[in-house]
Amino acid sequence: MTRVYLFKRFERFWHWSQAALVLFMLVTGFEVHGMYRLFGWEKAGNLHTIAAWTLIGLWLFAIFWHFTTGEWKQYIPTTRNMLAVARYYSAGIFTGEPHPHRVTPTAKHNPLQRATYLVIKLLVNPLIWVSGLFYLYYAELTRNGLLQLPLRPIALVHTAAAFMMLIFVISHIYLSTTGHTPLAHIKAMITGWENVEQE
């Protein structure tokens, strides 16, 4: 094993802040939809809105950071080793095979991660942003003739995007436990250092 510094301070801050905000928004959002009672409907809605604006601010700053540091290249999709990685997660991981992707500071994400993160960044996040803003400002937009849609499809799109995010969070938490020890990847996202198997 070789110790490699993979995750810069801002990446770790961005990751954990985003995770906390997304989880909090899932909790408050599902309460607004009446799935349970924790904060109360009005307070949950207000907290959800505050968390949403905070997350949008964090996303915008993270986009700026990724482009100014060149880290956006980490998300460029590739098919190289994609089948091998898919085969590893579907079977090889259960038989002790080595991971086919070697993590480096310039290739932190395997091909499946790159594809997943691209879908999250280009599909799920914009769906959440746009439908959430339409939902939040629905009365003003319709009153001023800027939106002709009924509220129900906007709410359904926002909820569907929230479920997509929930599926991503659950799979992300599971996959974070699949390192050489169950906490290795989580520790790396706290300290920045990852123990990487040598060729």
Side-chain angles (χ1 to χ4, degrees):
M1 292 276 189
T2 304
R3 243 176 138 232
V4 179
Y5 187 67
L6 283 183
F7 304 108
K8 299 176 182 79
R9 191 173 296 152
F10 176 75
E11 286 176 286
R12 300 190 317 266
F13 165 77
W14 169 61
H15 177 272
W16 292 112
S17 301
Q18 180 177 231
L21 286 164
V22 166
L23 289 172
F24 185 72
M25 290 184 68
L26 287 168
V27 168
T28 54
F30 289 135
E31 180 171 4
V32 167
H33 278 274
M35 297 183 82
Y36 45 79
R37 184 174 171 81
L38 184 63
F39 299 106
W41 186 87
E42 186 175 356
K43 188 173 183 183
N46 291 335
L47 291 170
H48 191 80
T49 301
I50 292 166
W53 281 115
T54 306
L55 184 59
I56 287 172
L58 180 64
W59 278 342
L60 290 173
F61 190 78
I63 290 167
F64 170 78
W65 182 85
H66 278 87
F67 277 101
T68 56
T69 60
E71 287 293 321
W72 63 272
K73 295 173 187 171
Q74 299 279 353
Y75 301 94
I76 296 172
T78 178
T79 55
R80 186 172 179 263
N81 278 344
M82 186 173 281
L83 288 177
V85 172
R87 200 167 28 252
Y88 170 78
Y89 283 120
S90 62
I93 194 170
F94 303 109
T95 59
E97 289 180 23
H99 199 296
H101 176 74
R102 291 289 172 257
V103 176
T104 68
T106 56
K108 299 173 190 178
H109 309 306
N110 68 52
L112 287 181
Q113 284 175 305
R114 287 176 182 229
T116 301
Y117 293 149
L118 196 67
V119 168
I120 293 295
K121 290 175 187 305
L122 297 182
L123 175 68
V124 178
N125 287 353
L127 270 178
I128 289 172
W129 280 25
V130 174
S131 63
L133 290 170
F134 281 177
Y135 205 156
L136 184 61
Y137 295 108
Y138 183 78
E140 292 88 343
L141 290 168
T142 52
R143 186 168 53 246
N144 294 314
L146 299 171
L147 187 64
Q148 303 298 322
L149 290 170
L151 183 59
R152 183 174 172 78
I154 294 168
L156 289 174
V157 167
H158 195 64
T159 305
F163 274 106
M164 288 181 218
M165 185 60 77
L166 179 60
I167 291 165
F168 168 75
V169 167
I170 291 168
S171 59
H172 190 67
I173 291 169
Y174 164 70
L175 290 170
S176 72
T177 66
T178 62
H180 62 277
T181 68
L183 296 177
H185 293 322
I186 295 167
K187 186 178 175 187
M189 192 46 79
I190 294 170
T191 65
W193 292 89
E194 176 89 72
N195 290 319
V196 177
E197 289 183 21
Q198 292 177 302
E199 292 284 353

